[in-house]
Amino acid sequence: EYLRPECVYFPFYQDAAKVFAGYDHSIAMCADKRLPSALSTCCGGYSDRHPVDREDREWADVLSEYRGELLTYNGNRERCTSWGRSICDPERLGPFQGQAGHCIHHMSCADSFGSTAFIDKTKYHWTTAGCTIKVKVDASGMIAVVHSPDRTRVVNGADFYPTVQSHVHHEKTVSFFFVHWDEDNTPLGQKSYPTSDNGCGSSGEQLEGGFCLCDTTVVETAVFESEPSRSQVLEQLHIGAFDPITFDQGEYEVLFESSNLMAYAKSGEGAYSKHTIFRVVPDEFISSEYIFLR
């Protein structure tokens, strides 16, 4: 049985892809292409693929190597290529019985389930379509993550677009949380975040109930430009990282090593980049276990 490792995933990222759930492409949301976020989804590849009277035949197969296997976007591309198929934005999955269609493992087909009520049981599939991540801002400055998948396909057999998964739906989400707004560049007497009073900023959309819906842009920069101290690393770095030895050989090289701090630089990215990983003991008097930060 595959057990997904515990990890922290970022709610905001660039170049998101649309993923869908349900054999009929009925539910959609965004996914990070860099992470194993969705099941295999491959189109075309053989002459009797249903529907046989169509040139595109964009009905997808599920090509998992084991039940519940999740792939990255590029991993899905490699899987499809290895089977002589292609990545796509399919009309639907299957069908897996009665007509030409393929699923390596029967239960992988059975797992193709989508629901806006049972989110934990819902399985997603990759598409080549894009997806935009937005934020819904309430009157107090708290935000909720909202997904806006590209409207490239209607639900198979229907004339309407897939519904956005409930926890990232702009009307249904209830998952608001606090963030640090930039108050240093805010004029005196004004709020540092978009509100209905300031027209939701320069590009936000006003929603009912005093909410604002705004686009997001992710900017990643390196924290350090030269060798930091152990205390600087612990105070200024807040993102966890994997032990560099878990990567392919040569992907990371030791940048420097001291008695209580070690740094690894990613090959081809320069000494101090957003990919540089620091190994540090969080409390020398309590534990000798290392943590990795970047």
Side-chain angles (χ1 to χ4, degrees), residues 36-57:
S37 306
L39 299 168
S40 168
T41 317
C42 304
C43 290
Y46 47 103
S47 60
D48 64 343
R49 182 68 171 102
H50 188 86
V52 295
D53 58 340
R54 294 261 303 280
E55 286 291 331
D56 54 8
R57 299 192 182 97

